[in-house]
mmCIF file with all atom_site columns, all heavy atoms in Angstrom:
data_model
loop_
_atom_site.group_PDB
_atom_site.id
_atom_site.type_symbol
_atom_site.label_atom_id
_atom_site.label_alt_id
_atom_site.label_comp_id
_atom_site.label_asym_id
_atom_site.label_entity_id
_atom_site.label_seq_id
_atom_site.pdbx_PDB_ins_code
_atom_site.Cartn_x
_atom_site.Cartn_y
_atom_site.Cartn_z
_atom_site.occupancy
_atom_site.B_iso_or_equiv
_atom_site.pdbx_formal_charge
_atom_site.auth_seq_id
_atom_site.auth_comp_id
_atom_site.auth_asym_id
_atom_site.auth_atom_id
_atom_site.pdbx_PDB_model_num
ATOM   1   N N   . ASP A 1 24  ? 26.671 17.689 -46.593 1.00 0.00 ? 24  ASP A N   1
ATOM   2   C CA  . ASP A 1 24  ? 27.720 17.176 -45.712 1.00 0.00 ? 24  ASP A CA  1
ATOM   3   C C   . ASP A 1 24  ? 27.047 16.560 -44.445 1.00 0.00 ? 24  ASP A C   1
ATOM   4   O O   . ASP A 1 24  ? 27.557 15.796 -43.683 1.00 0.00 ? 24  ASP A O   1
ATOM   5   C CB  . ASP A 1 24  ? 28.524 18.393 -45.268 1.00 0.00 ? 24  ASP A CB  1
ATOM   6   C CG  . ASP A 1 24  ? 29.488 18.779 -46.417 1.00 0.00 ? 24  ASP A CG  1
ATOM   7   O OD1 . ASP A 1 24  ? 29.656 17.969 -47.239 1.00 0.00 ? 24  ASP A OD1 1
ATOM   8   O OD2 . ASP A 1 24  ? 29.942 19.980 -46.348 1.00 0.00 ? 24  ASP A OD2 1
ATOM   9   N N   . GLN A 1 25  ? 25.807 17.066 -44.161 1.00 0.00 ? 25  GLN A N   1
ATOM   10  C CA  . GLN A 1 25  ? 25.074 16.413 -42.947 1.00 0.00 ? 25  GLN A CA  1
ATOM   11  C C   . GLN A 1 25  ? 23.593 16.166 -43.385 1.00 0.00 ? 25  GLN A C   1
ATOM   12  O O   . GLN A 1 25  ? 23.022 17.051 -44.191 1.00 0.00 ? 25  GLN A O   1
ATOM   13  C CB  . GLN A 1 25  ? 25.228 17.301 -41.731 1.00 0.00 ? 25  GLN A CB  1
ATOM   14  C CG  . GLN A 1 25  ? 24.756 18.711 -41.841 1.00 0.00 ? 25  GLN A CG  1
ATOM   15  C CD  . GLN A 1 25  ? 25.047 19.514 -40.522 1.00 0.00 ? 25  GLN A CD  1
ATOM   16  O OE1 . GLN A 1 25  ? 26.335 19.765 -40.222 1.00 0.00 ? 25  GLN A OE1 1
ATOM   17  N NE2 . GLN A 1 25  ? 24.140 19.830 -39.766 1.00 0.00 ? 25  GLN A NE2 1
ATOM   18  N N   . GLN A 1 26  ? 23.067 15.239 -42.766 1.00 0.00 ? 26  GLN A N   1
ATOM   19  C CA  . GLN A 1 26  ? 21.666 14.801 -43.186 1.00 0.00 ? 26  GLN A CA  1
ATOM   20  C C   . GLN A 1 26  ? 20.608 15.125 -42.156 1.00 0.00 ? 26  GLN A C   1
ATOM   21  O O   . GLN A 1 26  ? 19.502 14.900 -42.244 1.00 0.00 ? 26  GLN A O   1
ATOM   22  C CB  . GLN A 1 26  ? 21.638 13.315 -43.568 1.00 0.00 ? 26  GLN A CB  1
ATOM   23  C CG  . GLN A 1 26  ? 22.301 12.879 -44.823 1.00 0.00 ? 26  GLN A CG  1
ATOM   24  C CD  . GLN A 1 26  ? 23.847 12.884 -44.625 1.00 0.00 ? 26  GLN A CD  1
ATOM   25  O OE1 . GLN A 1 26  ? 24.425 12.514 -43.738 1.00 0.00 ? 26  GLN A OE1 1
ATOM   26  N NE2 . GLN A 1 26  ? 24.566 13.464 -45.726 1.00 0.00 ? 26  GLN A NE2 1
ATOM   27  N N   . GLY A 1 27  ? 21.151 15.842 -41.098 1.00 0.00 ? 27  GLY A N   1
ATOM   28  C CA  . GLY A 1 27  ? 20.157 16.273 -40.008 1.00 0.00 ? 27  GLY A CA  1
ATOM   29  C C   . GLY A 1 27  ? 20.777 17.593 -39.414 1.00 0.00 ? 27  GLY A C   1
ATOM   30  O O   . GLY A 1 27  ? 21.841 17.951 -39.729 1.00 0.00 ? 27  GLY A O   1
ATOM   31  N N   . PRO A 1 28  ? 19.993 18.117 -38.424 1.00 0.00 ? 28  PRO A N   1
ATOM   32  C CA  . PRO A 1 28  ? 20.489 19.346 -37.826 1.00 0.00 ? 28  PRO A CA  1
ATOM   33  C C   . PRO A 1 28  ? 21.662 19.047 -36.877 1.00 0.00 ? 28  PRO A C   1
ATOM   34  O O   . PRO A 1 28  ? 21.616 18.073 -36.182 1.00 0.00 ? 28  PRO A O   1
ATOM   35  C CB  . PRO A 1 28  ? 19.226 19.808 -36.983 1.00 0.00 ? 28  PRO A CB  1
ATOM   36  C CG  . PRO A 1 28  ? 18.556 18.541 -36.766 1.00 0.00 ? 28  PRO A CG  1
ATOM   37  C CD  . PRO A 1 28  ? 18.772 17.643 -37.931 1.00 0.00 ? 28  PRO A CD  1
ATOM   38  N N   . ASP A 1 52  ? 28.309 5.041  -33.923 1.00 0.00 ? 52  ASP A N   1
ATOM   39  C CA  . ASP A 1 52  ? 27.493 6.207  -34.458 1.00 0.00 ? 52  ASP A CA  1
ATOM   40  C C   . ASP A 1 52  ? 26.379 5.570  -35.234 1.00 0.00 ? 52  ASP A C   1
ATOM   41  O O   . ASP A 1 52  ? 26.493 5.160  -36.400 1.00 0.00 ? 52  ASP A O   1
ATOM   42  C CB  . ASP A 1 52  ? 28.375 7.164  -35.269 1.00 0.00 ? 52  ASP A CB  1
ATOM   43  C CG  . ASP A 1 52  ? 27.564 8.501  -35.653 1.00 0.00 ? 52  ASP A CG  1
ATOM   44  O OD1 . ASP A 1 52  ? 26.412 8.532  -35.244 1.00 0.00 ? 52  ASP A OD1 1
ATOM   45  O OD2 . ASP A 1 52  ? 28.248 9.417  -36.255 1.00 0.00 ? 52  ASP A OD2 1
ATOM   46  N N   . ILE A 1 53  ? 25.238 5.610  -34.708 1.00 0.00 ? 53  ILE A N   1
ATOM   47  C CA  . ILE A 1 53  ? 23.971 4.949  -35.283 1.00 0.00 ? 53  ILE A CA  1
ATOM   48  C C   . ILE A 1 53  ? 23.192 5.979  -36.018 1.00 0.00 ? 53  ILE A C   1
ATOM   49  O O   . ILE A 1 53  ? 22.832 7.038  -35.534 1.00 0.00 ? 53  ILE A O   1
ATOM   50  C CB  . ILE A 1 53  ? 23.187 4.373  -34.187 1.00 0.00 ? 53  ILE A CB  1
ATOM   51  C CG1 . ILE A 1 53  ? 24.106 3.311  -33.387 1.00 0.00 ? 53  ILE A CG1 1
ATOM   52  C CG2 . ILE A 1 53  ? 21.963 3.647  -34.644 1.00 0.00 ? 53  ILE A CG2 1
ATOM   53  C CD1 . ILE A 1 53  ? 23.428 2.755  -32.160 1.00 0.00 ? 53  ILE A CD1 1
ATOM   54  N N   . GLY A 1 54  ? 22.878 5.574  -37.313 1.00 0.00 ? 54  GLY A N   1
ATOM   55  C CA  . GLY A 1 54  ? 22.253 6.468  -38.286 1.00 0.00 ? 54  GLY A CA  1
ATOM   56  C C   . GLY A 1 54  ? 23.274 7.589  -38.701 1.00 0.00 ? 54  GLY A C   1
ATOM   57  O O   . GLY A 1 54  ? 22.849 8.698  -38.587 1.00 0.00 ? 54  GLY A O   1
ATOM   58  N N   . CYS A 1 55  ? 24.362 7.077  -39.022 1.00 0.00 ? 55  CYS A N   1
ATOM   59  C CA  . CYS A 1 55  ? 25.596 8.103  -39.196 1.00 0.00 ? 55  CYS A CA  1
ATOM   60  C C   . CYS A 1 55  ? 25.496 8.883  -40.434 1.00 0.00 ? 55  CYS A C   1
ATOM   61  O O   . CYS A 1 55  ? 26.130 9.877  -40.583 1.00 0.00 ? 55  CYS A O   1
ATOM   62  C CB  . CYS A 1 55  ? 26.850 7.270  -39.191 1.00 0.00 ? 55  CYS A CB  1
ATOM   63  S SG  . CYS A 1 55  ? 26.964 6.079  -40.439 1.00 0.00 ? 55  CYS A SG  1
ATOM   64  N N   . GLY A 1 56  ? 24.612 8.501  -41.437 1.00 0.00 ? 56  GLY A N   1
ATOM   65  C CA  . GLY A 1 56  ? 24.648 9.240  -42.711 1.00 0.00 ? 56  GLY A CA  1
ATOM   66  C C   . GLY A 1 56  ? 26.001 9.211  -43.314 1.00 0.00 ? 56  GLY A C   1
ATOM   67  O O   . GLY A 1 56  ? 26.653 8.222  -43.188 1.00 0.00 ? 56  GLY A O   1
ATOM   68  N N   . GLN A 1 60  ? 29.285 14.257 -38.635 1.00 0.00 ? 60  GLN A N   1
ATOM   69  C CA  . GLN A 1 60  ? 29.434 14.329 -37.178 1.00 0.00 ? 60  GLN A CA  1
ATOM   70  C C   . GLN A 1 60  ? 30.462 13.236 -36.739 1.00 0.00 ? 60  GLN A C   1
ATOM   71  O O   . GLN A 1 60  ? 31.300 13.462 -35.719 1.00 0.00 ? 60  GLN A O   1
ATOM   72  C CB  . GLN A 1 60  ? 28.190 14.232 -36.406 1.00 0.00 ? 60  GLN A CB  1
ATOM   73  C CG  . GLN A 1 60  ? 27.529 12.934 -36.270 1.00 0.00 ? 60  GLN A CG  1
ATOM   74  C CD  . GLN A 1 60  ? 27.045 12.492 -37.709 1.00 0.00 ? 60  GLN A CD  1
ATOM   75  O OE1 . GLN A 1 60  ? 26.504 13.321 -38.377 1.00 0.00 ? 60  GLN A OE1 1
ATOM   76  N NE2 . GLN A 1 60  ? 27.117 11.159 -37.949 1.00 0.00 ? 60  GLN A NE2 1
ATOM   77  N N   . ILE A 1 75  ? 26.958 3.282  -38.536 1.00 0.00 ? 75  ILE A N   1
ATOM   78  C CA  . ILE A 1 75  ? 26.045 2.339  -39.145 1.00 0.00 ? 75  ILE A CA  1
ATOM   79  C C   . ILE A 1 75  ? 24.929 3.152  -39.762 1.00 0.00 ? 75  ILE A C   1
ATOM   80  O O   . ILE A 1 75  ? 24.408 4.058  -39.165 1.00 0.00 ? 75  ILE A O   1
ATOM   81  C CB  . ILE A 1 75  ? 25.454 1.518  -38.018 1.00 0.00 ? 75  ILE A CB  1
ATOM   82  C CG1 . ILE A 1 75  ? 26.581 0.533  -37.533 1.00 0.00 ? 75  ILE A CG1 1
ATOM   83  C CG2 . ILE A 1 75  ? 24.249 0.701  -38.612 1.00 0.00 ? 75  ILE A CG2 1
ATOM   84  C CD1 . ILE A 1 75  ? 25.961 -0.741 -36.950 1.00 0.00 ? 75  ILE A CD1 1
ATOM   85  N N   . ASP A 1 76  ? 24.603 2.808  -41.021 1.00 0.00 ? 76  ASP A N   1
ATOM   86  C CA  . ASP A 1 76  ? 23.389 3.445  -41.676 1.00 0.00 ? 76  ASP A CA  1
ATOM   87  C C   . ASP A 1 76  ? 22.788 2.439  -42.550 1.00 0.00 ? 76  ASP A C   1
ATOM   88  O O   . ASP A 1 76  ? 23.374 1.492  -43.142 1.00 0.00 ? 76  ASP A O   1
ATOM   89  C CB  . ASP A 1 76  ? 23.833 4.681  -42.436 1.00 0.00 ? 76  ASP A CB  1
ATOM   90  C CG  . ASP A 1 76  ? 22.617 5.659  -42.597 1.00 0.00 ? 76  ASP A CG  1
ATOM   91  O OD1 . ASP A 1 76  ? 21.883 5.372  -43.534 1.00 0.00 ? 76  ASP A OD1 1
ATOM   92  O OD2 . ASP A 1 76  ? 22.563 6.602  -41.859 1.00 0.00 ? 76  ASP A OD2 1
ATOM   93  N N   . LEU A 1 77  ? 21.465 2.720  -42.771 1.00 0.00 ? 77  LEU A N   1
ATOM   94  C CA  . LEU A 1 77  ? 20.655 1.807  -43.653 1.00 0.00 ? 77  LEU A CA  1
ATOM   95  C C   . LEU A 1 77  ? 21.041 1.899  -45.073 1.00 0.00 ? 77  LEU A C   1
ATOM   96  O O   . LEU A 1 77  ? 20.866 0.955  -45.855 1.00 0.00 ? 77  LEU A O   1
ATOM   97  C CB  . LEU A 1 77  ? 19.187 2.223  -43.421 1.00 0.00 ? 77  LEU A CB  1
ATOM   98  C CG  . LEU A 1 77  ? 17.987 1.230  -43.587 1.00 0.00 ? 77  LEU A CG  1
ATOM   99  C CD1 . LEU A 1 77  ? 18.344 -0.085 -42.776 1.00 0.00 ? 77  LEU A CD1 1
ATOM   100 C CD2 . LEU A 1 77  ? 16.675 1.878  -43.095 1.00 0.00 ? 77  LEU A CD2 1
ATOM   101 N N   . PHE A 1 78  ? 21.547 3.071  -45.505 1.00 0.00 ? 78  PHE A N   1
ATOM   102 C CA  . PHE A 1 78  ? 21.659 3.409  -46.896 1.00 0.00 ? 78  PHE A CA  1
ATOM   103 C C   . PHE A 1 78  ? 23.129 3.140  -47.383 1.00 0.00 ? 78  PHE A C   1
ATOM   104 O O   . PHE A 1 78  ? 23.985 3.895  -46.962 1.00 0.00 ? 78  PHE A O   1
ATOM   105 C CB  . PHE A 1 78  ? 21.227 4.786  -47.265 1.00 0.00 ? 78  PHE A CB  1
ATOM   106 C CG  . PHE A 1 78  ? 19.723 4.923  -47.296 1.00 0.00 ? 78  PHE A CG  1
ATOM   107 C CD1 . PHE A 1 78  ? 19.152 5.757  -46.397 1.00 0.00 ? 78  PHE A CD1 1
ATOM   108 C CD2 . PHE A 1 78  ? 18.895 4.149  -48.082 1.00 0.00 ? 78  PHE A CD2 1
ATOM   109 C CE1 . PHE A 1 78  ? 17.734 5.946  -46.343 1.00 0.00 ? 78  PHE A CE1 1
ATOM   110 C CE2 . PHE A 1 78  ? 17.564 4.319  -48.123 1.00 0.00 ? 78  PHE A CE2 1
ATOM   111 C CZ  . PHE A 1 78  ? 16.941 5.229  -47.177 1.00 0.00 ? 78  PHE A CZ  1
ATOM   112 N N   . PHE A 1 81  ? 25.197 6.226  -48.456 1.00 0.00 ? 81  PHE A N   1
ATOM   113 C CA  . PHE A 1 81  ? 25.701 7.060  -47.382 1.00 0.00 ? 81  PHE A CA  1
ATOM   114 C C   . PHE A 1 81  ? 26.901 6.464  -46.795 1.00 0.00 ? 81  PHE A C   1
ATOM   115 O O   . PHE A 1 81  ? 27.996 7.075  -46.554 1.00 0.00 ? 81  PHE A O   1
ATOM   116 C CB  . PHE A 1 81  ? 24.698 7.154  -46.252 1.00 0.00 ? 81  PHE A CB  1
ATOM   117 C CG  . PHE A 1 81  ? 23.480 8.063  -46.558 1.00 0.00 ? 81  PHE A CG  1
ATOM   118 C CD1 . PHE A 1 81  ? 22.369 8.122  -45.745 1.00 0.00 ? 81  PHE A CD1 1
ATOM   119 C CD2 . PHE A 1 81  ? 23.494 8.815  -47.684 1.00 0.00 ? 81  PHE A CD2 1
ATOM   120 C CE1 . PHE A 1 81  ? 21.306 8.943  -46.027 1.00 0.00 ? 81  PHE A CE1 1
ATOM   121 C CE2 . PHE A 1 81  ? 22.318 9.665  -47.905 1.00 0.00 ? 81  PHE A CE2 1
ATOM   122 C CZ  . PHE A 1 81  ? 21.334 9.733  -47.196 1.00 0.00 ? 81  PHE A CZ  1
ATOM   123 N N   . GLY A 1 103 ? 23.842 -1.223 -42.154 1.00 0.00 ? 103 GLY A N   1
ATOM   124 C CA  . GLY A 1 103 ? 22.984 -2.059 -41.150 1.00 0.00 ? 103 GLY A CA  1
ATOM   125 C C   . GLY A 1 103 ? 21.836 -1.230 -40.582 1.00 0.00 ? 103 GLY A C   1
ATOM   126 O O   . GLY A 1 103 ? 21.631 -0.036 -40.927 1.00 0.00 ? 103 GLY A O   1
ATOM   127 N N   . SER A 1 104 ? 20.925 -1.970 -39.736 1.00 0.00 ? 104 SER A N   1
ATOM   128 C CA  . SER A 1 104 ? 19.848 -1.255 -39.263 1.00 0.00 ? 104 SER A CA  1
ATOM   129 C C   . SER A 1 104 ? 19.941 -1.087 -37.709 1.00 0.00 ? 104 SER A C   1
ATOM   130 O O   . SER A 1 104 ? 20.396 -1.987 -37.008 1.00 0.00 ? 104 SER A O   1
ATOM   131 C CB  . SER A 1 104 ? 18.537 -2.105 -39.539 1.00 0.00 ? 104 SER A CB  1
ATOM   132 O OG  . SER A 1 104 ? 17.493 -1.486 -38.808 1.00 0.00 ? 104 SER A OG  1
ATOM   133 N N   . MET A 1 105 ? 19.514 0.071  -37.341 1.00 0.00 ? 105 MET A N   1
ATOM   134 C CA  . MET A 1 105 ? 19.517 0.311  -35.822 1.00 0.00 ? 105 MET A CA  1
ATOM   135 C C   . MET A 1 105 ? 18.508 -0.519 -35.165 1.00 0.00 ? 105 MET A C   1
ATOM   136 O O   . MET A 1 105 ? 18.411 -0.663 -33.924 1.00 0.00 ? 105 MET A O   1
ATOM   137 C CB  . MET A 1 105 ? 19.098 1.865  -35.545 1.00 0.00 ? 105 MET A CB  1
ATOM   138 C CG  . MET A 1 105 ? 17.793 2.328  -36.069 1.00 0.00 ? 105 MET A CG  1
ATOM   139 S SD  . MET A 1 105 ? 17.435 4.075  -35.665 1.00 0.00 ? 105 MET A SD  1
ATOM   140 C CE  . MET A 1 105 ? 18.575 4.868  -36.797 1.00 0.00 ? 105 MET A CE  1
ATOM   141 N N   . GLU A 1 106 ? 17.597 -1.272 -35.895 1.00 0.00 ? 106 GLU A N   1
ATOM   142 C CA  . GLU A 1 106 ? 16.686 -2.266 -35.221 1.00 0.00 ? 106 GLU A CA  1
ATOM   143 C C   . GLU A 1 106 ? 17.338 -3.591 -35.038 1.00 0.00 ? 106 GLU A C   1
ATOM   144 O O   . GLU A 1 106 ? 16.809 -4.461 -34.361 1.00 0.00 ? 106 GLU A O   1
ATOM   145 C CB  . GLU A 1 106 ? 15.493 -2.374 -36.182 1.00 0.00 ? 106 GLU A CB  1
ATOM   146 C CG  . GLU A 1 106 ? 14.794 -1.140 -36.458 1.00 0.00 ? 106 GLU A CG  1
ATOM   147 C CD  . GLU A 1 106 ? 13.410 -1.429 -37.195 1.00 0.00 ? 106 GLU A CD  1
ATOM   148 O OE1 . GLU A 1 106 ? 12.750 -2.467 -36.958 1.00 0.00 ? 106 GLU A OE1 1
ATOM   149 O OE2 . GLU A 1 106 ? 13.044 -0.519 -37.958 1.00 0.00 ? 106 GLU A OE2 1
ATOM   150 N N   . GLU A 1 121 ? 23.051 11.336 -33.792 1.00 0.00 ? 121 GLU A N   1
ATOM   151 C CA  . GLU A 1 121 ? 22.560 12.652 -34.032 1.00 0.00 ? 121 GLU A CA  1
ATOM   152 C C   . GLU A 1 121 ? 21.393 12.559 -35.125 1.00 0.00 ? 121 GLU A C   1
ATOM   153 O O   . GLU A 1 121 ? 21.554 12.059 -36.192 1.00 0.00 ? 121 GLU A O   1
ATOM   154 C CB  . GLU A 1 121 ? 23.559 13.556 -34.541 1.00 0.00 ? 121 GLU A CB  1
ATOM   155 C CG  . GLU A 1 121 ? 24.617 13.858 -33.485 1.00 0.00 ? 121 GLU A CG  1
ATOM   156 C CD  . GLU A 1 121 ? 25.550 15.066 -33.834 1.00 0.00 ? 121 GLU A CD  1
ATOM   157 O OE1 . GLU A 1 121 ? 25.117 15.962 -34.617 1.00 0.00 ? 121 GLU A OE1 1
ATOM   158 O OE2 . GLU A 1 121 ? 26.702 14.987 -33.459 1.00 0.00 ? 121 GLU A OE2 1
ATOM   159 N N   . GLY A 1 122 ? 20.295 13.103 -34.712 1.00 0.00 ? 122 GLY A N   1
ATOM   160 C CA  . GLY A 1 122 ? 19.017 13.222 -35.619 1.00 0.00 ? 122 GLY A CA  1
ATOM   161 C C   . GLY A 1 122 ? 18.660 11.928 -36.296 1.00 0.00 ? 122 GLY A C   1
ATOM   162 O O   . GLY A 1 122 ? 18.255 11.925 -37.397 1.00 0.00 ? 122 GLY A O   1
ATOM   163 N N   . ALA A 1 123 ? 18.693 10.837 -35.482 1.00 0.00 ? 123 ALA A N   1
ATOM   164 C CA  . ALA A 1 123 ? 18.439 9.574  -36.192 1.00 0.00 ? 123 ALA A CA  1
ATOM   165 C C   . ALA A 1 123 ? 17.646 8.534  -35.352 1.00 0.00 ? 123 ALA A C   1
ATOM   166 O O   . ALA A 1 123 ? 16.988 7.709  -35.819 1.00 0.00 ? 123 ALA A O   1
ATOM   167 C CB  . ALA A 1 123 ? 19.789 8.842  -36.527 1.00 0.00 ? 123 ALA A CB  1
ATOM   168 N N   . TYR A 1 125 ? 14.985 8.792  -33.851 1.00 0.00 ? 125 TYR A N   1
ATOM   169 C CA  . TYR A 1 125 ? 13.470 8.919  -34.147 1.00 0.00 ? 125 TYR A CA  1
ATOM   170 C C   . TYR A 1 125 ? 13.048 7.847  -35.031 1.00 0.00 ? 125 TYR A C   1
ATOM   171 O O   . TYR A 1 125 ? 11.884 7.455  -35.121 1.00 0.00 ? 125 TYR A O   1
ATOM   172 C CB  . TYR A 1 125 ? 13.081 10.318 -34.637 1.00 0.00 ? 125 TYR A CB  1
ATOM   173 C CG  . TYR A 1 125 ? 13.550 10.523 -36.037 1.00 0.00 ? 125 TYR A CG  1
ATOM   174 C CD1 . TYR A 1 125 ? 12.553 10.312 -37.079 1.00 0.00 ? 125 TYR A CD1 1
ATOM   175 C CD2 . TYR A 1 125 ? 14.735 11.050 -36.418 1.00 0.00 ? 125 TYR A CD2 1
ATOM   176 C CE1 . TYR A 1 125 ? 12.954 10.495 -38.385 1.00 0.00 ? 125 TYR A CE1 1
ATOM   177 C CE2 . TYR A 1 125 ? 15.098 11.192 -37.651 1.00 0.00 ? 125 TYR A CE2 1
ATOM   178 C CZ  . TYR A 1 125 ? 14.213 10.939 -38.690 1.00 0.00 ? 125 TYR A CZ  1
ATOM   179 O OH  . TYR A 1 125 ? 14.592 11.077 -40.002 1.00 0.00 ? 125 TYR A OH  1
ATOM   180 N N   . ASN A 1 126 ? 14.042 7.361  -35.995 1.00 0.00 ? 126 ASN A N   1
ATOM   181 C CA  . ASN A 1 126 ? 13.628 6.220  -36.929 1.00 0.00 ? 126 ASN A CA  1
ATOM   182 C C   . ASN A 1 126 ? 13.100 5.062  -36.277 1.00 0.00 ? 126 ASN A C   1
ATOM   183 O O   . ASN A 1 126 ? 12.203 4.334  -36.826 1.00 0.00 ? 126 ASN A O   1
ATOM   184 C CB  . ASN A 1 126 ? 14.839 6.005  -37.850 1.00 0.00 ? 126 ASN A CB  1
ATOM   185 C CG  . ASN A 1 126 ? 15.044 7.091  -38.880 1.00 0.00 ? 126 ASN A CG  1
ATOM   186 O OD1 . ASN A 1 126 ? 14.141 7.248  -39.710 1.00 0.00 ? 126 ASN A OD1 1
ATOM   187 N ND2 . ASN A 1 126 ? 16.142 7.868  -38.741 1.00 0.00 ? 126 ASN A ND2 1
HETATM 188 N N1  . LIG B 2 .   ? 23.564 11.442 -38.134 1.00 0.00 ? 1   LIG B N1  1
HETATM 189 C C1  . LIG B 2 .   ? 23.573 12.023 -39.446 1.00 0.00 ? 1   LIG B C1  1
HETATM 190 C C2  . LIG B 2 .   ? 22.292 11.567 -40.245 1.00 0.00 ? 1   LIG B C2  1
HETATM 191 C C3  . LIG B 2 .   ? 21.022 11.941 -39.623 1.00 0.00 ? 1   LIG B C3  1
HETATM 192 S S1  . LIG B 2 .   ? 19.666 11.646 -40.804 1.00 0.00 ? 1   LIG B S1  1
HETATM 193 C C4  . LIG B 2 .   ? 23.604 13.521 -39.364 1.00 0.00 ? 1   LIG B C4  1
HETATM 194 O O1  . LIG B 2 .   ? 23.256 14.024 -38.283 1.00 0.00 ? 1   LIG B O1  1
HETATM 195 O O2  . LIG B 2 .   ? 23.876 14.249 -40.287 1.00 0.00 ? 1   LIG B O2  1
HETATM 196 C C5  . LIG B 2 .   ? 19.116 10.113 -40.154 1.00 0.00 ? 1   LIG B C5  1
HETATM 197 C C6  . LIG B 2 .   ? 19.893 8.852  -40.719 1.00 0.00 ? 1   LIG B C6  1
HETATM 198 O O3  . LIG B 2 .   ? 19.268 7.624  -40.209 1.00 0.00 ? 1   LIG B O3  1
HETATM 199 C C7  . LIG B 2 .   ? 19.878 8.705  -42.130 1.00 0.00 ? 1   LIG B C7  1
HETATM 200 O O4  . LIG B 2 .   ? 21.259 8.644  -42.683 1.00 0.00 ? 1   LIG B O4  1
HETATM 201 C C8  . LIG B 2 .   ? 19.133 7.446  -42.477 1.00 0.00 ? 1   LIG B C8  1
HETATM 202 O O5  . LIG B 2 .   ? 19.522 6.721  -43.619 1.00 0.00 ? 1   LIG B O5  1
HETATM 203 C C9  . LIG B 2 .   ? 19.382 6.654  -41.194 1.00 0.00 ? 1   LIG B C9  1
HETATM 204 N N2  . LIG B 2 .   ? 18.437 5.624  -40.916 1.00 0.00 ? 1   LIG B N2  1
HETATM 205 C C10 . LIG B 2 .   ? 17.061 5.660  -41.015 1.00 0.00 ? 1   LIG B C10 1
HETATM 206 N N3  . LIG B 2 .   ? 16.600 4.493  -40.562 1.00 0.00 ? 1   LIG B N3  1
HETATM 207 C C11 . LIG B 2 .   ? 17.547 3.750  -40.159 1.00 0.00 ? 1   LIG B C11 1
HETATM 208 C C12 . LIG B 2 .   ? 17.673 2.403  -39.553 1.00 0.00 ? 1   LIG B C12 1
HETATM 209 N N4  . LIG B 2 .   ? 16.593 1.660  -39.358 1.00 0.00 ? 1   LIG B N4  1
HETATM 210 N N5  . LIG B 2 .   ? 18.900 1.982  -39.334 1.00 0.00 ? 1   LIG B N5  1
HETATM 211 C C13 . LIG B 2 .   ? 20.079 2.609  -39.499 1.00 0.00 ? 1   LIG B C13 1
HETATM 212 N N6  . LIG B 2 .   ? 20.017 3.878  -40.034 1.00 0.00 ? 1   LIG B N6  1
HETATM 213 C C14 . LIG B 2 .   ? 18.861 4.404  -40.470 1.00 0.00 ? 1   LIG B C14 1
#
Side-chain angles (χ1 to χ4, degrees):
D24 291 337
Q25 56 186 70
Q26 287 75 41
D52 186 356
I53 300 175
C55 58
Q60 73 293 324
I75 293 204
D76 202 281
L77 208 49
F78 287 118
F81 289 169
S104 174
M105 59 177 75
E106 299 190 32
E121 291 194 31
Y125 75 92
N126 284 293

